[in-house]
Amino acid sequence: MGYCVEIDSHGNFRDLDNRVITLRGINLAGDSKLPMSPCIPSHEPDLFFDGDNVSFVGRPFPLSEADEHLQRIKNWGFNVVRYIFCWEAIEHERPGKYDDQFVKSTIELLKKIREYGFYVFMDPHQDVWSRFSGGSGAPMWTLYAAGLDPRNFAPTEAAVVQNLWPDPATYPKMMWATNYDRLACQVMFTLFWAGEDFAPKAVIDGQNIQHYLQDHFINAVKYLAENIYSSGLDDSFILGWESCNEPARGLLGCPDLLTHPSYEKLKKYTSPTPFESILLGSGRAVEVETYDFGSIGPYKTGLKVVNNSKTSTWLSEDFDDSRYGWRRGPQWKLGECIWAQHGVWDPCENRILKPHYFAQSPDGLDITENKWADRYFMEHFNKYADMIRSVRKSAILFCQTPVLAIPPDFVSMNSVRSRMVFTPHYYDGLTLIRKHWSNIWNIDVVGVLRDRYWNPIFGIRIGETSIRNCLRDQLKVLKDEGIEKFGQEVPCLFSEIGIPFDMDDKKAYSDGDYNSQIHALDANIFALESSMLHCTFWVYCACNSHKWGDSWNGEDLSFWSKSDVSHQTSFGMGYGSEQTLTSFAASQFKVDISSVIGTRAHEAFIRPYPLKTVGMPVSYGFDLKTGIFQMELDAEKPLSADIGTEIYLPEIHYPNGDVEIEVTSGRWELDRYGQKLTWWHDPGNQVIRIIGIRGAQTDSYAKRQHYEALGGCCS
């Protein structure tokens, strides 16, 4: 085996001892979407537009605080980190000017992470293109480069941004995601993927805007990668690099600019058609439909006139952007809609001329549905992958294709590369958007998106068992699509999956009852375990608070919150204070309760799972109600007398070694301090069954017994 982590022909990660590795970890961290200096969370309007003069040094948290956060995550049993960084953090000031202090601070933090034994893969993160279009990712100058004026996004609703919302505290749930279907994102992603085909007049510094943007993005990531590897960090720690987070289509494949495309699933607040967005951006007042999100989808609520001020989203023709040092081609006119300049519509008569302009490429290729990605996403991914391999030949390529869409057919395109991983995302949409967990009903979102049902109502599932199985089946569909499109030798790792913790109008923050969150998270992990999937949960945020959540667009998905440190935790534990917590001790073994302080729904995600398996895992899972973990495996032969199967066994579920272990063969040893069980078993089909305090998380008497065993109390 040539690498510290190998990928075998069946899509398994393997260590140097040829054991199968299960990767389970977290995104570190949501804080990295936001500048550190000045600190500008998404609810803060001051200094928002001073995007050139920011610093991300100290994100996701200062190096001086790293041990506290990393030890906590290590105690949770996680072994991998998806390390978030943004293009803006590297190249915020102007094109080609890199922030070396940020690069240096990133390397210092990565070295600290290495001390804790985590694997890491790097994520160049974005959401709806940029902070200035309501998300994260690209520098502000990219919008200027495309001819857009972010200061005019609010009146034109080219993007609905929390920083600019009249009262940021009332910014609607999941509003940020609607920006994918508003003008700023539609323009930026269309130009990024396919500017050469659809905006050939958009030339800057002698190249089309498509290549200008892609080259700057790729070169910024390359600069970071080169510095990381030259610092001595290598493949034993940095597994590889992921492609662009949640790639969006822009207008590519839109069948008709006059109507809402079928792929536009999230309608909330105002919902203009693509052509209405174009008109709004060009200074027209337009009456558009308004929507809200109901039980099984969006529903129309009325009409609203937008842009009464008749503001233009496009930069004025005399706008001075000389500070960025670029020169536009003579055919590109500032002050005019880029699509009008390409004959898509007539600005004199406000009339559409080419409603199907984005439905096919100039050479006649149909790019509707998901077919846009077959050409334009793939062209970019291959360019990005070539760059990564030019810097580090052995780096694993983590490939993220458009969210919940069937991936491009890498197999038929002969685009499957060695050491490659498919990294889809999945969220239980109903729970995420409504911020409510229902054990009564849910819906098969993936099945609906795959047109499995004549009517979405037939995708409804009733009852908690059916809901859990529905989540399981959806993840299996996504995994199987990955096998079909990438081949069985490419592993599947869900690089984002999580739940909102501010459910039911933040009820848990006042009464300490995290029951709903525990059930929701347990259902998601049940779905992962049923298909033996790798994952990095979304998310850890060092800045999370009950008031502002993750400090980003009203989201509150962090597994830990500083507001919960001195707050009641799950099931009303009478924790009182951090001092009381850290003094908890069992009679013979001191439990590291610091891993629980401030942690939400820890009962669900701090759970046993196989770290490294001798042989092939056949199945494994943890039953939260009974406290039983069971695993089946097939082993051809023992590797050696001193190498066994390793299972993470958290003290929180098995305190004081209060555990019964049943095995079909061999011997086992429990390292309570390291929360790890090692099992040396015979070849063949083998089963291990680990029984903790039965019902510790669901029965009030057993729950009290559970926490008393930890040396604490339960109110």
Side-chain angles (χ1 to χ4, degrees):
M1 300 182 68
Y3 307 107
C4 293
V5 174
E6 183 64 271
I7 299 175
D8 69 20
S9 60
H10 297 285
N12 298 298
F13 296 104
R14 291 188 177 270
D15 70 0
L16 291 174
D17 294 313
N18 203 33
R19 290 177 295 184
V20 173
I21 303 169
T22 302
L23 293 177
R24 182 175 292 185
I26 200 152
N27 280 261
L28 189 73
D31 315 72
S32 296
K33 297 181 180 186
L34 306 166
M36 188 72 167
S37 179
C39 182
I40 310 175
S42 70
H43 54 268
E44 177 55 63
D46 293 344
L47 302 176
F48 177 61
F49 287 114
D50 193 13
D52 302 339
N53 302 306
V54 295
S55 172
F56 287 71
V57 173
R59 293 297 189 196
F61 37 71
L63 187 64
S64 60
E65 301 173 7
D67 287 308
E68 171 197 344
H69 297 295
L70 296 174
Q71 186 62 61
R72 178 179 295 116
I73 294 169
K74 189 66 176 178
N75 290 344
W76 290 348
F78 294 157
N79 61 2
V80 65
V81 162
R82 183 188 189 223
Y83 192 92
I84 297 168
F85 68 94
C86 290
W87 178 10
E88 182 188 7
I90 306 170
E91 198 179 8
H92 50 81
E93 186 174 340
R94 65 176 185 268
K97 176 68 182 300
Y98 300 136
D99 189 335
D100 286 314
Q101 288 302 113
F102 171 75
V103 172
K104 180 181 177 182
S105 70
T106 298
I107 291 169
E108 290 174 346
L109 186 55
L110 286 171
K111 287 182 176 179
K112 174 61 70 172
I113 293 171
R114 180 176 60 179
E115 293 176 13
Y116 286 82
F118 292 108
Y119 298 115
V120 167
F121 64 98
M122 305 295 290
D123 161 39
H125 205 84
Q126 77 80 34
D127 306 275
V128 293
W129 185 259
S130 169
R131 284 193 300 124
F132 307 95
S133 48
S136 66
M140 185 174 69
W141 58 258
T142 61
L143 295 160
Y144 290 129
L148 292 167
D149 188 347
R151 294 176 183 271
N152 290 337
F153 286 175
T156 61
E157 295 191 0
V160 181
V161 182
Q162 187 187 21
N163 300 77
L164 308 178
W165 193 256
D167 178 5
T170 64
Y171 187 71
K173 303 172 185 176
M174 292 300 294
M175 171 68 82
W176 70 267
T178 69
N179 287 318
Y180 278 118
D181 297 304
R182 299 180 188 274
L183 184 67
C185 267
Q186 290 170 334
V187 168
M188 294 309 302
F189 279 107
T190 304
L191 297 181
F192 182 81
W193 302 119
E196 188 168 46
D197 279 355
F198 294 96
K201 295 180 181 180
V203 173
I204 187 167
D205 282 353
Q207 61 181 162
N208 185 268
I209 187 70
Q210 170 189 333
H211 305 298
Y212 186 83
L213 292 172
Q214 287 196 27
D215 286 353
H216 276 284
F217 167 69
I218 289 173
N219 288 336
V221 177
K222 181 180 182 180
Y223 187 78
L224 178 62
E226 288 175 334
N227 279 271
I228 285 174
Y229 289 121
S230 66
S231 75
L233 296 170
D234 58 23
D235 304 322
S236 64
F237 167 61
I238 305 287
L239 294 180
W241 298 72
E242 194 170 19
S243 56
C244 173
N245 181 71
E246 298 190 350
R249 69 197 305 148
L251 289 169
L252 298 178
C254 179
D256 187 344
L257 294 172
L258 293 170
T259 62
H260 289 285
S262 60
Y263 55 75
E264 184 184 340
K265 301 299 182 183
L266 179 60
K267 297 188 183 79
K268 196 167 188 177
Y269 186 56
T270 53
S271 186
T273 65
F275 184 53
E276 287 171 342
S277 287
I278 289 171
L279 292 173
L280 288 168
S282 294
R284 278 60 166 179
V286 179
E287 185 178 60
V288 303
E289 295 177 339
T290 60
Y291 284 80
D292 203 350
F293 200 87
S295 297
I296 59 171
Y299 63 93
K300 185 177 175 181
T301 58
L303 299 168
K304 179 185 176 181
V305 176
V306 178
N307 198 14
N308 277 315
S309 62
K310 298 185 178 179
T311 303
S312 174
T313 297
W314 301 96
L315 292 173
S316 62
E317 58 182 337
D318 59 351
F319 182 79
D320 181 12
D321 54 7
S322 59
R323 67 186 183 276
Y324 296 124
W326 55 51
R327 293 179 63 86
R328 298 180 195 276
Q331 290 186 296
W332 190 355
K333 302 175 185 177
L334 282 186
E336 184 177 342
C337 170
I338 192 67
W339 308 131
Q341 294 182 55
H342 287 86
V344 178
W345 67 289
D346 181 351
C348 295
E349 299 184 7
N350 296 335
R351 181 169 60 90
I352 192 78
L353 300 175
K354 300 177 181 177
H356 313 301
Y357 183 69
F358 300 99
Q360 63 180 27
S361 64
D363 60 1
L365 178 70
D366 176 18
I367 58 171
T368 57
E369 303 297 335
N370 296 319
K371 292 188 284 291
W372 72 273
D374 294 347
R375 170 172 290 189
Y376 298 107
F377 169 81
M378 289 298 298
E379 286 178 354
H380 167 74
F381 174 78
N382 285 325
K383 189 176 179 181
Y384 178 83
D386 287 343
M387 178 276 292
I388 293 296
R389 287 285 168 83
S390 74
V391 176
R392 197 72 171 184
K393 185 177 180 180
S394 54
I396 295 176
L397 301 171
F398 292 82
C399 179
Q400 186 178 155
T401 58
V403 177
L404 293 183
I406 297 174
D409 196 335
F410 281 72
V411 173
S412 67
M413 296 179 189
N414 293 317
S415 294
V416 179
R417 300 179 184 230
S418 64
R419 295 177 61 74
M420 193 173 185
V421 177
F422 172 44
T423 55
H425 289 180
Y426 178 83
Y427 292 92
D428 170 9
L430 205 63
T431 300
L432 183 68
I433 293 173
R434 298 170 67 211
K435 295 195 176 187
H436 170 75
W437 167 254
S438 171
N439 60 3
I440 298 174
W441 73 279
N442 206 309
I443 190 165
D444 177 9
V445 172
V446 173
V448 170
L449 291 175
R450 300 295 183 269
D451 294 324
R452 191 170 298 153
Y453 307 103
W454 175 73
N455 187 301
I457 198 169
F458 295 112
I460 291 175
R461 299 292 182 267
I462 305 296
E464 188 160 12
T465 298
S466 182
I467 292 168
R468 289 165 64 90
N469 290 341
C470 179
L471 297 180
R472 174 200 65 194
D473 295 344
Q474 290 178 74
L475 265 59
K476 187 175 186 304
V477 167
L478 298 176
K479 177 185 179 182
D480 289 346
E481 288 174 350
I483 293 172
E484 178 186 352
K485 302 301 182 181
F486 287 89
Q488 68 172 2
E489 70 272 23
V490 175
C492 177
L493 182 154
F494 279 78
S495 59
E496 287 188 25
I497 184 169
I499 64 160
F501 286 93
D502 56 341
M503 293 182 184
D504 304 316
D505 297 319
K506 304 185 179 183
K507 175 179 175 291
Y509 299 166
S510 59
D511 65 13
D513 184 355
Y514 280 84
N515 249 309
S516 292
Q517 291 86 342
I518 290 168
H519 283 280
L521 192 52
D522 179 55
N524 278 266
I525 301 176
F526 163 78
L528 289 163
E529 291 176 342
S530 296
S531 291
M532 297 189 295
L533 285 161
H534 311 277
C535 75
T536 47
F537 294 108
W538 187 266
V539 62
Y540 189 95
C541 281
C543 68
N544 182 280
S545 68
H546 286 177
K547 182 176 182 180
W548 292 111
D550 300 336
S551 292
W552 187 82
N553 284 325
E555 287 203 342
D556 194 348
L557 284 81
S558 178
F559 279 30
W560 179 86
S561 175
K562 59 187 178 183
S563 295
D564 279 288
V565 169
S566 58
H567 193 266
Q568 284 185 324
T569 60
S570 307
F571 292 101
M573 283 179 60
Y575 274 167
S577 70
E578 183 172 346
Q579 184 177 4
T580 305
L581 277 169
T582 54
S583 67
F584 283 1
S587 57
Q588 296 180 344
F589 178 77
K590 289 189 178 297
V591 178
D592 187 359
I593 278 295
S594 64
S595 63
V596 176
I597 299 172
T599 305
R600 292 101 74 88
H602 58 269
E603 296 91 338
F605 75 85
I606 302 178
R607 62 201 282 147
Y609 73 97
L611 294 163
K612 298 178 179 180
T613 304
V614 175
M616 290 288 295
V618 175
S619 65
Y620 63 84
F622 176 66
D623 189 325
L624 186 59
K625 293 182 179 180
T626 63
I628 297 175
F629 171 80
Q630 183 162 312
M631 177 184 182
E632 180 182 357
L633 58 83
D634 272 322
E636 291 185 4
K637 59 181 179 179
L639 294 175
S640 71
D642 58 344
I643 298 174
T645 292
E646 297 179 2
I647 298 170
Y648 170 65
L649 204 64
E651 186 73 13
I652 196 71
H653 286 295
Y654 305 97
N656 291 319
D658 190 350
V659 59
E660 299 176 24
I661 299 177
E662 302 170 355
V663 295
T664 51
S665 72
R667 60 185 178 87
W668 54 268
E669 181 178 284
L670 178 60
D671 173 7
R672 293 184 55 212
Y673 181 78
Q675 300 188 99
K676 181 177 70 177
L677 181 142
T678 304
W679 174 29
W680 295 270
H681 48 76
D682 294 340
N685 183 267
Q686 306 294 337
V687 176
I688 185 169
R689 193 166 185 259
I690 305 173
I691 306 167
I693 296 179
R694 294 175 177 82
Q697 313 306 335
T698 57
D699 175 81
S700 60
Y701 171 77
K703 178 188 67 177
R704 182 177 298 277
Q705 182 186 40
H706 176 73
Y707 288 115
E708 285 177 351
L710 287 175
C713 58
C714 184
S715 61

